Amino acid sequence: MSDLFMLLCLSLSLTYIILYMIFKRPLLALFIFPVIMALGLFAKMMPTTGPSDVIIESVWLYIHLPFTILGTALFLFATISSIMYFVQEKQLKKKNFGFIFRRFPPLDVINSLTTSTLMTGFYFFSIGVFSGIIWMGYEHGRMGIFSPKMIFAIVTWFIFGTITYFKQFRGMTPRSTAYSTVAGFVSVVVTYIGVAIFLMG
Amino acid sequence: MQLAVVGLNHNTAPVEVRETLAVADEMLAELYKGILTNDRIYEAMVISTCNRVEYYIVTDDFLCNVESVLRIVSEVCGISREELQKYTYIHCGSDSVKHIFRVASGLDSLVLGEPQIFGQVKDAFENARKLNASKTFLRKLEEYVIKTTKRIRTHTGIGDNPVSVSSAAVELAEKIFGKLEKKAALIIGAGEMCEIACKHLISSGIGELKVTNRTFAKAQALAESTGGKAVPMEHYKDELANVDIVLSSTGAPCYMVESTDIKKVMAKRKYKPMFLIDIAVPRDIDPAITDIENAYVYDIDDLKAVVESNKKLRQKEAQKAMEYVESGLESFYHWVESMKIVPVIKSLREYFDDKKYLELNRFCDKFKVTDKEERRRLEYLLSAYMNKALHTPLNNLKDKGPNKGKYTLDEALEIIFDLKDS
């Protein structure tokens, strides 16, 4: 389990580096590094159970794990930029041009950061979820597929899928995008807690 | 030698006096000639802009020479001495150097931190150079003025926050959209405010500019001068879906852009943000648009509030800039002091040169050296030795000379010849 969180820390750092190269917004680090620190500490406190204790290794695991983790990392960035969007939009509407306003990126940049992390995250997460379903099907049959954590994973996938669909084909206001991204991320967290409970026993 | 300045600016003289004293480029040659006929004035420079006219002179007797500058200026501009004295300020020595640093970096400008003055100061230096009015002192000063101003511009935020209504509006637009290259703007109206706003948008690299006005010819004229496109008044609402920025400044008694107009176009725009700037009184843009998601409306009062807060920020930065002025002043005066030692270094070199030739001639006589080639080689050897031997002490003299410390003779020798390290 601690390995899983360590892997998440690694993906978050890696994702930050890639996003920094594209968007040149070091401010993201202010939000992401506390999360990485907290996850690292959390991983330290976790009992170390190797995947082989509970899980039978298979090729699907090696597809499922990295894609899900990377997808999650990207969703976390989408959530952070959604929160940044709320803050910056509020400053603009309230005409409050103080300390925060000056340091935050332009609204459009935040919006495109949300969009690109969401889309990429969704593709990764899709591969992760479906390889997970196949793998669970192999290992545990129907019981595995309808376990609570699987249901949550599918719900999460549906939330992000809906956002992606609307953004691509219907047009969606940035504010609704931000709200639904935060909601989707809550569901991601719930899924992870489900995984943790499942692994611990 | 020291610098002195006689000048007047927007704080000390009304515009009618400033325009009387303004110096046109074609007058410069005559003016410099007049000032430099005084043989105690070695160099001169004139800065003349719409907000200031300043005469800088390099002299060794500043009191009587400032008098002569005042006399010349009053003759050339046809204004009495008493009148002139009423409006001018006079600085001398390090105060005048500090003054030109402050002027060049915009710390003395009407709009604190404005960048244009730097270009005007550079031009003034260049003109003085072309007309042979500036020599060693002013050329070195120019170097330090440019260096200090660039440092201030780079390391302080003196020019960061716009302090005019239209540039504040463009800055807000950049805070919403980031780069404006792929954005389109619609300007409603073709008055002076709209013209200034157009210029600001163009310099920020706006992708597309559309202008509409009740008198179509005026819209066309403004569009032509800015490289935009004129839109007839009856069709401007059709453009709302295709533009990201709307700026309105007309004399219309009712709203030019209604809340319902924006509601209609938002879905068509795929809910992309829209920024509406209203610089008209009575207002042109319905303030209710603020309630529409992703539409941002700012009126003249909002922009003025931004400008006010930016002015305060600039004043804070001006204090930081003064530290750079002080450090620039210090390094410039270090150079001035080191110049005092130059004659000593020159005579020292001459002394060694004389001795070199004296000994060379004696050697050639004594050992019957008649071959020219051999003599050349000997001279080369002596010169090489002398240059090597003198390099360190002369450099030390130049560097440590301006140090105001009092040394005993033996201490001085130790410093000059680096004897402590060897």
Side-chain angles (χ1 to χ4, degrees):
Chain A
M1 190 62 213
S2 71
D3 300 345
L4 185 70
F5 280 98
M6 277 304 187
L7 198 59
L8 191 54
C9 285
L10 190 70
S11 324
L12 284 173
S13 313
L14 194 71
T15 315
Y16 168 74
I17 291 166
I18 293 166
L19 287 177
Y20 178 77
M21 282 165 145
I22 301 168
F23 289 94
K24 301 271 181 301
R25 298 286 166 187
L27 192 78
L28 276 174
L30 183 73
F31 296 91
I32 202 70
F33 279 98
V35 176
I36 293 176
M37 287 276 292
L39 281 173
L41 285 170
F42 195 53
K44 268 272 172 262
M45 292 188 292
M46 283 270 173
T48 46
T49 48
S52 51
D53 294 353
V54 186
I55 304 157
I56 300 157
E57 292 189 29
S58 89
V59 67
W60 292 107
L61 170 68
Y62 290 107
I63 298 171
H64 167 73
L65 207 56
F67 277 103
T68 316
I69 296 267
L70 271 172
T72 309
L74 283 160
F75 285 156
L76 179 59
F77 275 100
T79 309
I80 286 170
S81 66
S82 296
I83 293 164
M84 281 165 87
Y85 183 87
F86 287 136
V87 172
Q88 189 70 329
E89 187 206 32
K90 199 172 175 182
Q91 310 281 332
L92 274 163
K93 285 281 188 201
K94 287 233 158 98
K95 295 163 188 178
N96 179 2
F97 308 122
F99 182 86
I100 295 175
F101 178 79
R102 283 176 201 286
R103 278 155 187 80
F104 267 45
L107 211 56
D108 237 19
V109 172
I110 301 177
N111 194 19
S112 68
L113 179 67
T114 312
T115 308
S116 49
T117 44
L118 255 180
M119 299 283 176
T120 324
F122 177 69
Y123 298 135
F124 281 24
F125 197 73
S126 303
I127 297 170
V129 166
F130 287 111
S131 57
I133 291 175
I134 294 167
W135 173 49
M136 284 300 259
Y138 270 128
E139 299 300 326
H140 305 275
R142 289 182 62 148
M143 276 306 290
I145 293 178
F146 293 110
S147 66
K149 99 179 156 123
M150 277 318 286
I151 289 167
F152 258 107
I154 291 165
V155 166
T156 308
W157 183 83
F158 260 107
I159 294 174
F160 283 114
T162 313
I163 304 172
T164 312
Y165 168 76
F166 269 91
K167 271 205 99 60
Q168 284 277 60
F169 304 108
R170 292 291 185 84
M172 191 176 189
T173 68
R175 202 187 297 172
S176 337
T177 311
Y179 274 123
S180 36
T181 307
V182 174
F185 195 75
V186 169
S187 150
V188 170
V189 172
V190 171
T191 313
Y192 267 79
I193 292 169
V195 173
I197 292 166
F198 173 82
L199 281 176
M200 287 204 230
Chain B
M1 283 213 297
Q2 57 180 339
L3 185 74
V5 56
V6 183
L8 46 87
N9 64 17
H10 51 274
N11 291 325
T12 64
V15 66
E16 54 272 16
V17 176
R18 295 204 305 270
E19 66 193 7
T20 313
L21 292 174
V23 183
D25 279 355
E26 49 272 19
M27 275 169 66
L28 274 175
E30 187 194 342
L31 200 64
Y32 281 137
K33 217 193 250 169
I35 293 172
L36 293 168
T37 47
N38 178 332
D39 56 2
R40 304 301 297 276
I41 296 179
Y42 307 107
E43 301 176 43
M45 181 187 68
V46 181
I47 296 175
S48 174
T49 73
C50 53
N51 280 332
R52 69 180 63 246
V53 182
E54 291 178 338
Y55 294 84
Y56 289 86
I57 54 168
V58 178
T59 173
D60 51 8
D61 176 8
F62 119 87
L63 263 179
C64 89
N65 291 321
V66 161
E67 281 299 312
S68 75
V69 168
L70 283 171
R71 187 173 42 77
I72 291 166
V73 173
S74 81
E75 277 169 20
V76 170
C77 303
I79 185 168
S80 76
R81 274 289 321 278
E82 293 69 35
E83 184 83 356
L84 191 61
Q85 216 140 11
K86 208 161 54 178
Y87 296 118
T88 49
Y89 44 83
I90 294 168
H91 300 297
C92 151
S94 65
D95 283 351
S96 60
V97 176
K98 192 192 275 190
H99 180 77
I100 194 168
F101 282 162
R102 289 183 70 245
V103 169
S105 50
L107 294 171
D108 198 51
S109 297
L110 181 61
V111 176
L112 185 66
E114 54 98 6
Q116 284 88 350
I117 186 72
F118 182 43
Q120 289 160 328
V121 170
K122 278 203 294 193
D123 290 347
F125 271 115
E126 198 181 331
N127 282 333
R129 246 185 304 139
K130 276 183 191 159
L131 297 165
N132 289 330
S134 83
K135 296 184 188 72
T136 323
F137 191 97
L138 282 182
R139 282 177 192 192
K140 201 68 187 178
L141 180 64
E142 176 181 11
E143 204 180 293
Y144 277 87
V145 163
I146 291 173
K147 206 160 48 179
T148 306
T149 306
K150 281 187 174 163
R151 279 181 71 196
I152 288 171
R153 294 244 154 237
T154 318
H155 298 294
T156 71
I158 192 82
D160 282 357
N161 305 298
V163 286
S164 76
V165 166
S166 52
S167 56
V170 172
E171 189 204 28
L172 278 175
E174 283 174 334
K175 227 30 206 171
I176 294 174
F177 299 112
K179 289 199 170 78
L180 302 182
E181 287 153 17
K182 289 179 182 157
K183 304 294 166 196
L186 171 68
I187 310 290
I188 307 172
E192 191 191 355
M193 275 305 246
C194 292
E195 207 175 316
I196 295 169
C198 277
K199 278 180 188 155
H200 278 292
L201 282 167
I202 296 277
S203 63
S204 310
I206 187 89
E208 199 182 348
L209 198 63
K210 292 168 182 170
V211 185
T212 185
N213 191 48
R214 210 171 36 174
T215 317
F216 188 62
K218 275 189 180 173
Q220 273 179 314
L222 181 55
E224 232 164 78
S225 65
T226 51
K229 186 182 136 204
V231 177
M233 199 66 169
E234 49 273 18
H235 297 306
Y236 80 92
K237 286 197 177 180
D238 307 340
E239 296 290 345
L240 290 176
N242 316 319
V243 294
D244 308 280
I245 300 166
V246 177
L247 185 139
S248 188
S249 176
T250 70
C254 56
Y255 292 139
M256 299 296 292
V257 182
E258 304 268 1
S259 176
T260 46
D261 300 333
I262 300 299
K263 270 188 190 141
K264 265 184 224 159
V265 299
M266 264 304 178
K268 242 192 253 178
R269 297 173 47 75
K270 284 197 168 173
Y271 304 101
K272 282 186 301 192
M274 196 165 186
F275 179 45
L276 302 103
I277 311 149
D278 185 353
I279 40 182
V281 180
R283 286 182 293 181
D284 277 349
I285 296 173
D286 186 352
I289 292 173
T290 298
D291 302 331
I292 300 171
E293 188 187 334
N294 236 6
Y296 303 91
V297 184
Y298 293 93
D299 61 26
I300 189 86
D301 283 359
D302 301 326
L303 294 171
K304 277 186 177 159
V306 173
V307 165
E308 279 313 309
S309 78
N310 284 353
K311 276 185 180 163
K312 281 188 188 126
L313 283 171
R314 278 197 182 194
Q315 269 152 2
K316 238 190 214 168
E317 291 301 311
Q319 288 165 358
K320 243 193 252 175
M322 278 315 286
E323 291 168 19
Y324 288 99
V325 166
E326 292 295 342
S327 93
L329 193 66
E330 201 178 310
S331 22
F332 179 70
Y333 269 91
H334 188 85
W335 173 82
V336 170
E337 290 297 320
S338 76
M339 285 310 285
K340 287 180 185 167
I341 208 111
V342 166
V344 176
I345 291 174
K346 218 171 150 188
S347 1
L348 202 63
R349 268 202 161 281
E350 282 166 4
Y351 170 83
F352 274 89
D353 258 347
D354 290 347
K355 291 281 171 282
K356 179 179 79 179
Y357 286 114
L358 194 75
E359 287 307 312
L360 182 68
N361 293 336
R362 279 178 58 184
F363 180 90
C364 292
D365 291 346
K366 194 172 177 181
F367 296 101
K368 307 282 183 291
V369 179
T370 51
D371 181 28
K372 269 191 182 163
E373 188 56 29
E374 193 165 348
R375 188 190 152 91
R376 215 180 47 79
R377 282 182 193 153
L378 280 168
E379 192 183 333
Y380 174 82
L381 172 72
L382 282 174
S383 299
Y385 164 73
M386 195 183 89
N387 289 340
K388 271 272 185 300
L390 283 179
H391 180 77
T392 303
L394 292 188
N395 264 355
N396 282 342
L397 258 180
K398 216 172 171 174
D399 283 348
K400 312 270 162 63
N403 198 326
K404 290 204 166 48
K406 294 272 181 288
Y407 303 111
T408 56
L409 254 180
D410 54 331
E411 279 172 340
L413 281 172
E414 269 181 355
I415 289 168
I416 293 166
F417 285 94
D418 274 348
L419 299 179
K420 271 194 173 154
D421 306 337
S422 51

